[in-house]
Amino acid sequence: DFQLTQSPSSLSASVGDRVTITCRAGQAINIYLNWYQQKPGNAPNLLIYAASTLQTGVPSRFSGSRSGTDFTLTISSLQPEDFATYFCQQSYTTPHTFGQGTKLEMK
Amino acid sequence: QVQLQQSGPRLVKPSETLSLSCSVSGGSISSHYWSWIRQSAGKGLEWIGRAAPSGDIIYNPSLTSRVTMSVDTSKNQLSLKLSSVTAADTAIYYCARDLRGGGGEWPDWGQGTLVTVS
């Protein structure tokens, strides 16, 4: 299975901060990397697909980028509703696999 | 917008079969690819398998010996069966719709069903 390593596993930040979460793929996966946000009691919510394409309805403060097998999710200016857990997921091949998650907490 | 409503028992005994359904509204089940995904404290998020409009179904190799997915176009409903369950199968189970033809990106999810094996 394709391994995805997310970092950090947890992160403390304040409203207005710029936040970056990284996901490293164990092998080349082209652009087939997606990002989800999950809040307690809810299903994951697709934010970005194909490394950098913003899903419809997602605020523009979220962005994604790729450098080789390293992928980054950036939140340009944290809002109160952004405190949640974030997951990366590869759709390059089956079985599709997920990163272990990054919990973003309020400082 | 497509909506997914899950149903099924929340408590299953060890060695028995877990059975869940996912009813689709706001769109035809025949027009999309569908996946089942589960989430547990121990293993995180795990993709279980995918059903194509053609009827082709692929499973995660880690579960293929125990899992059966099916699509009922007359009811616009998906189903999942997982046999010989153990405590390790305790998880929240989700159905989800693919964004684009089997691409493996999921914009629409069911509400999730916490299934406990005990």
Side-chain angles (χ1 to χ4, degrees), chain A residues 1 31-32 34 36 38 41-46 49-50 55 87 89-92 94-99, chain B residues 35 37 39 45-47 50 58-62 94 98-100 102-107 109-112:
Chain A
D1 294 0
I31 63 168
Y32 300 104
N34 313 307
Y36 295 83
Q38 187 177 31
N42 291 344
N45 179 45
L46 179 65
Y49 63 94
Q55 170 64 359
F87 295 94
Q89 172 247 330
Q90 65 82 14
S91 50
Y92 178 73
T94 59
H96 299 310
T97 51
F98 293 82
Chain B
S35 286
I37 297 150
Q39 185 172 27
L45 286 157
E46 181 179 26
W47 176 79
R50 183 187 75 205
I58 58 173
Y59 301 123
N60 190 323
S62 69
Y94 296 99
D98 270 41
L99 177 66
R100 45 182 186 170
E105 312 100 351
W106 305 294
W109 296 62
Q111 80 276 23

Side-chain angles (χ1 to χ4, degrees), chain B residues 19-81:
Chain B
S19 295
L20 295 174
S21 296
C22 176
S23 296
V24 177
S25 59
S28 171
I29 201 168
S30 301
S31 300
H32 300 284
Y33 286 68
W34 306 92
S35 286
W36 286 95
I37 297 150
R38 68 181 182 178
Q39 185 172 27
S40 64
K43 294 191 73 175
L45 286 157
E46 181 179 26
W47 176 79
I48 297 170
R50 183 187 75 205
S54 63
D56 290 342
I57 297 175
I58 58 173
Y59 301 123
N60 190 323
S62 69
L63 296 168
T64 192
S65 63
R66 298 193 292 130
V67 66
T68 303
M69 291 173 52
S70 61
V71 175
D72 186 334
T73 55
S74 66
K75 296 182 179 179
N76 231 32
Q77 192 171 75
L78 315 167
S79 69
L80 171 71
K81 294 186 186 302

Side-chain angles (χ1 to χ4, degrees), chain A residues 13-94:
Chain A
S14 302
V15 172
D17 284 354
R18 180 182 180 89
V19 167
T20 298
I21 298 169
T22 298
C23 183
R24 173 166 290 175
Q27 302 175 55
I29 58 170
N30 202 327
I31 63 168
Y32 300 104
L33 192 284
N34 313 307
W35 290 98
Y36 295 83
Q37 176 194 68
Q38 187 177 31
K39 296 181 179 179
N42 291 344
N45 179 45
L46 179 65
L47 299 174
I48 288 168
Y49 63 94
S52 60
T53 303
L54 202 63
Q55 170 64 359
T56 302
V58 174
S60 59
R61 63 181 179 273
F62 291 93
S63 64
S65 63
R66 170 204 175 203
S67 176
T69 57
D70 290 340
F71 297 83
T72 300
L73 172 69
T74 300
I75 309 172
S76 60
S77 178
L78 263 181
Q79 299 302 301
E81 60 269 29
D82 299 338
F83 293 99
T85 301
Y86 293 85
F87 295 94
C88 58
Q89 172 247 330
Q90 65 82 14
S91 50
Y92 178 73
T93 191
T94 59

